[in-house]
Amino acid sequence: MTDHGTDDLDKTAAEPSAATPSLEVPEVTAPEVTVLDVLVLDPNTAEPVTAELAVNDPELAEAVAAEAIADPAASSAATLEPDAALVAPSVPVPHAPRTAQTAMIPAIPLAAAGTNATLTSGPTPESFGRVDADGTVFVRTSAGEVPVGQFQAGSPDEALAYYIRKFTALETEVVLLEQRLSGGADVAVDEAAATVDRITAALETPQVVGDIDGLRARVAALTPAIEKRRAAARAAKSKAREAAKAAREAIVVEAESLAEATSWKSSGDRLRVLLDEWKVAPRVDRGTEQALWKRFSAARNHFDRRRRAHFAKLSGEQSEAKATKTALVKEAEELSTSTDWAPTATKFRTLMDEWKASGRASRSDDDALWSRFRAAQDTFFSARSAAFDERDAGQSDNLAAKEALATAAEALLPLGDLATAKSSLRDIQERWERLGHVPRSDKERVDGRLRRVEQAIREAEESKWKRTNPEARARAEATVELLETAIAKLNKTLASATAAGDAKKIAETTEALEARQAWLDEAQRALTEFSGA
């Protein structure tokens, strides 16, 4: 709020400008005029100042006043700018010059000139001031009358109206600040505090006329609200700072979790995404951000070093694998023409095991070397198969003879006399050995027929031995005798317990008898087998 103090007033009175050639009030013949004050921004200082708006339309004046009461912040100089036909001369009063530019800056209508009806209730501002005969204006406070300045440019009523308007301007600022603080609007806390300090200082040595004590109390009451807003702003700022820190911390933690990853492509892609997220994440204080960036950068660098080392090692291993496989291919190609079938086939199996253990070369090298190795294998084994097929063609007679011997051996089953069956099988085995090879495709089948008969005779011999083994028979007889003795003792114990009515003893003895009787049954079956031999 620009303050027009005593010096400004005296200067205005002593040095009238071209805009105010005379301090005398001219005769006005225009229609009845309503003078409204509006609060505008000075284009030079950006401070709010009071400007007059003279309107000769009573309905327009009432509409402007009603709008100011309903929403003081909504009105503007643009909406208040009257048509030229509605403007009548106003009483010249010292205030900031009103220009076309100033008139278009947002303004707030205060009240009809010389009144405070839209802002206060109770005593009118005039009751708080008076004008002395020499033009000195006084304001009444609880501490007594205080001079606020001198006014030599008009009548006492005009002097009082001027200082009342200055008070109204201050009160308007307080009202607006009260509304903003109580209405939940965004408030620049430092700016609001500066406004309170400025108004408080202005009321310490007042140069306005109005309820100074009441306005001081209202201004003092704004401080707790401002401090509450300040605390809320600090809390919101702290919360936002913590959220920003948490967001960056989450990025760093995830990057650190990927530092030891071995999924090189997916982890590398994710780290690049995390870097993009870091760039757009909310900022935190410099120290915290530098510490987090150090961790983030360290995680990325660690992963990158490991990845580079891995692929460097892989490249070396691939070169070594290529050299090993090249040697294996050369050896396989040399063996591919061998006719020493059994040893060469064994060597090829060894070469295959070495191939699998040699690791991987690059994909293109691996594919080319494997094609050569496989071709050498195919050449050898195809030649061997052809040779075996040629040999097998002369073994048909041997196969027919062995088929007949296998049939004769199978006729010994089921076994009758074991000694006769063993003698017959021995003769068949001797004739079998004198025959030559059979085709490879039939060898396992025909040999299996003879092995099954041989296995049946061996099992029969083992069974007979078990039945006739004197040591086993003696052990079986001793077991039966021992169990029978134990069962006899338990029967006596059970009879005694029954006679004594000892339920616990009866139960224990019965359980023991059942177990030993089961054992005895098994032992007797084993002994019966020996008896049947």
Side-chain angles (χ1 to χ4, degrees), residues 170-302:
L170 285 179
E171 188 178 28
T172 299
E173 288 192 79
V174 174
V175 169
L176 294 177
L177 196 52
E178 287 173 338
Q179 291 175 347
R180 293 177 67 192
L181 290 173
S182 63
D186 289 337
V187 178
V189 177
D190 292 339
E191 180 182 341
T195 300
V196 168
D197 292 341
R198 177 173 51 78
I199 296 175
T200 300
L203 294 176
E204 286 296 324
T205 55
Q207 295 181 357
V208 296
V209 172
D211 186 2
I212 301 297
D213 295 328
L215 194 57
R216 284 173 178 169
R218 291 170 64 184
V219 172
L222 293 174
T223 300
I226 292 174
E227 290 304 317
K228 183 177 180 181
R229 287 293 188 98
R230 192 189 303 276
R234 287 198 200 98
K237 186 176 181 180
S238 176
K239 184 176 180 181
R241 186 165 51 247
E242 290 301 320
K245 180 181 177 182
R248 289 186 179 268
E249 181 78 27
I251 293 173
V252 172
V253 169
E254 185 175 354
E256 290 173 338
S257 71
L258 295 173
E260 298 294 337
T262 56
S263 51
W264 306 112
K265 186 178 186 309
S266 61
S267 298
D269 291 344
R270 182 56 186 163
L271 283 171
R272 283 189 287 274
V273 171
L274 290 177
L275 179 60
D276 293 337
E277 292 178 2
W278 174 277
K279 293 177 181 179
V280 299
R283 304 300 297 269
V284 295
D285 61 275
R286 184 176 181 84
T288 301
E289 187 161 327
Q290 286 181 340
L292 289 173
W293 171 253
K294 186 176 181 180
R295 289 171 55 191
F296 183 51
S297 180
R300 294 173 61 239
N301 291 338
H302 182 68

Side-chain angles (χ1 to χ4, degrees), residues 318-329 354-355 357-359 369:
Q318 288 177 343
S319 298
E320 183 178 350
K322 179 181 178 181
T324 301
K325 289 184 174 182
T326 300
L328 293 174
V329 168
E354 293 177 6
W355 179 280
S358 63
L369 289 171

Side-chain angles (χ1 to χ4, degrees), residues 35-86:
V35 179
L36 301 179
D37 281 352
V38 294
L39 192 63
V40 300
L41 295 180
D42 189 312
N44 298 317
T45 65
E47 289 286 335
V49 297
T50 303
E52 293 179 348
L53 182 63
V55 181
N56 61 4
D57 185 345
E59 292 183 0
L60 177 59
E62 290 177 3
V64 171
E67 182 179 359
I69 295 172
D71 187 1
S75 58
S76 67
T79 60
L80 297 176
E81 190 70 18
D83 294 334
L86 299 178

Side-chain angles (χ1 to χ4, degrees), residues 156-175:
D157 288 340
E158 292 170 342
L160 199 58
Y162 171 70
Y163 284 99
I164 288 173
R165 284 195 298 272
K166 293 183 66 177
F167 175 84
T168 301
L170 285 179
E171 188 178 28
T172 299
E173 288 192 79
V174 174
V175 169

